[in-house]
Amino acid sequence: MLDSDLALWDRFDDAAAGFAGQPNGGPHFTLLGPLEVRKDGEDHAPTAPKVLQVLAMLLMRPGKVVQGDLIIKELWAGDPPRGGRTTMQTHVWQLRRYIEANGFASDGDQIIVTRAPGYLLRVDPGQVDVAVFQRLAREGRALFDRQHYAEAAIVLRKALDLWGGPPLANVTCGPVLSVYATDLEEQRRNTQRLRIHAEIEAGMYHDLIGELRSLIAANPLDEGLNGQLMRVLNLSGRRIEALDLYRQFRARLSGELGLEPCNELQELHHVLLSDQSHR
């Protein structure tokens, strides 16, 4: 790795470490895995399911107002019980008391602010792992677009390192948080694909074969992953294996869905048949 690459790695490693529980002026919140509230290296997340659910809703938009009606929809799937709004307000009150009990603020009202038409969680977005992940993903994309592939791969890896499992793994998700978690998973997949693409373009493809095979085992009909593995095999001098992978994928796609591979995969197949280099 070049000295410039090491400096870039250190820069983003410091940014991620600063998020992940170092004393940067308050607790740090993780959503990319179990919802945790990290302070002094320990998790202080509330244990009451509804209170945890309300906290997750507020962390979706740190520093911005989340509508009370949206919280009610999440808590009771759009069918609140009689007195549902009062019950929701009680959960917010419990969350404020939790903030005080854990020493995050002397007054919970300073952190969870009532602001029409709902509530605002007064924390810096940099205290929430989702915001850090998204910032690193954007910076990695910008480096990729400028064809700085090795640097892009470093930054995108740091973004992915923030993930600790399925998003909101310990939260009982209603209709709002379920959509949010699905969107986060899609962002992770896109970032992962871009990181692999960046490593291929940077010539860092030799160690990708095992990773791509593992990803395909979990997503056998994913055309993008199969295409990336075909490219990596070809670049590693294993063109016959790449062609065999295409034949197997085409047979499975046809047998299970009655479809042909997408145009990009078909074009890659033709390139491999003609024994041309392809990235």
Side-chain angles (χ1 to χ4, degrees):
M1 188 178 289
L2 299 176
D3 289 344
S4 59
D5 293 341
L6 287 169
L8 188 70
W9 181 275
D10 289 342
R11 172 189 163 199
F12 288 105
D13 196 43
D14 290 344
F19 155 75
Q22 307 303 322
N24 284 345
H28 292 77
F29 304 89
T30 70
L31 302 177
L32 305 177
L35 195 165
E36 295 182 346
V37 183
R38 307 297 301 182
K39 181 184 178 185
D40 300 327
E42 297 183 0
D43 177 27
H44 297 269
T47 56
K50 290 294 187 185
V51 176
L52 192 68
Q53 208 172 351
V54 171
L55 177 59
M57 287 292 295
L58 297 176
L59 286 169
M60 280 177 36
R61 294 170 54 82
K64 298 182 179 179
V65 174
V66 178
Q67 293 184 10
D69 287 346
L70 195 64
I71 297 174
I72 291 172
K73 178 181 179 181
E74 164 64 21
L75 292 176
W76 294 288
D79 185 23
R82 184 184 300 272
R85 183 168 297 275
T86 299
T87 304
M88 181 268 291
Q89 292 168 345
T90 298
H91 293 320
V92 172
W93 178 86
Q94 292 171 331
L95 190 53
R96 285 170 169 152
R97 302 295 78 80
Y98 145 83
I99 287 170
E100 295 169 3
N102 284 275
F104 300 144
S106 59
D107 184 353
D109 290 359
Q110 296 175 356
I111 303 299
I112 300 179
V113 180
T114 301
R115 184 171 298 173
Y119 301 94
L120 177 150
L121 182 64
R122 186 174 283 167
V123 298
D124 188 287
Q127 292 173 249
V128 184
D129 64 349
V130 172
V132 179
F133 164 75
Q134 291 172 337
R135 175 173 63 82
L136 291 173
R138 286 193 301 270
E139 294 185 11
R141 165 64 72 177
L143 286 165
F144 184 93
D145 290 342
R146 296 199 300 271
Q147 299 183 358
H148 297 168
Y149 299 120
E151 294 92 337
I154 289 171
V155 177
L156 294 169
R157 273 194 176 274
K158 294 312 300 179
L160 293 165
D161 284 348
L162 292 170
W163 283 75
L168 301 171
N170 59 338
V171 179
T172 302
C173 293
V176 180
L177 288 177
S178 293
V179 171
Y180 179 64
T182 298
D183 179 64
L184 289 175
E185 285 280 18
E186 189 64 27
Q187 292 180 46
R188 182 191 61 81
R189 281 191 290 269
N190 291 339
T191 302
Q192 184 180 63
R193 306 275 175 81
L194 186 62
R195 189 268 300 169
I196 292 171
H197 193 175
E199 291 186 352
I200 293 173
E201 294 296 339
M204 302 156 58
Y205 47 81
H206 293 289
D207 295 329
L208 290 173
I209 294 175
E211 178 183 359
L212 283 166
R213 288 196 188 281
S214 178
L215 291 171
I216 289 171
N219 304 276
L221 297 181
D222 190 303
E223 293 178 306
L225 291 174
N226 278 274
Q228 286 183 321
L229 180 55
M230 288 171 63
R231 291 187 179 94
V232 167
L233 287 169
N234 183 48
L235 289 167
S236 300
R238 297 161 67 171
R239 184 170 66 97
I240 301 303
E241 289 182 55
L243 290 168
D244 188 52
L245 173 65
Y246 178 83
R247 285 191 291 270
Q248 293 178 32
F249 176 72
R250 183 186 180 192
R252 169 171 261 172
L253 192 65
S254 175
E256 295 188 21
L257 299 178
L259 298 174
E260 287 292 315
C262 65
N263 290 337
E264 183 179 355
L265 268 186
Q266 293 186 44
E267 291 170 5
L268 174 57
H269 179 237
H270 290 314
V271 168
L272 294 178
L273 286 173
S274 63
D275 197 19
Q276 298 175 18
S277 176
H278 186 88
R279 289 195 179 190

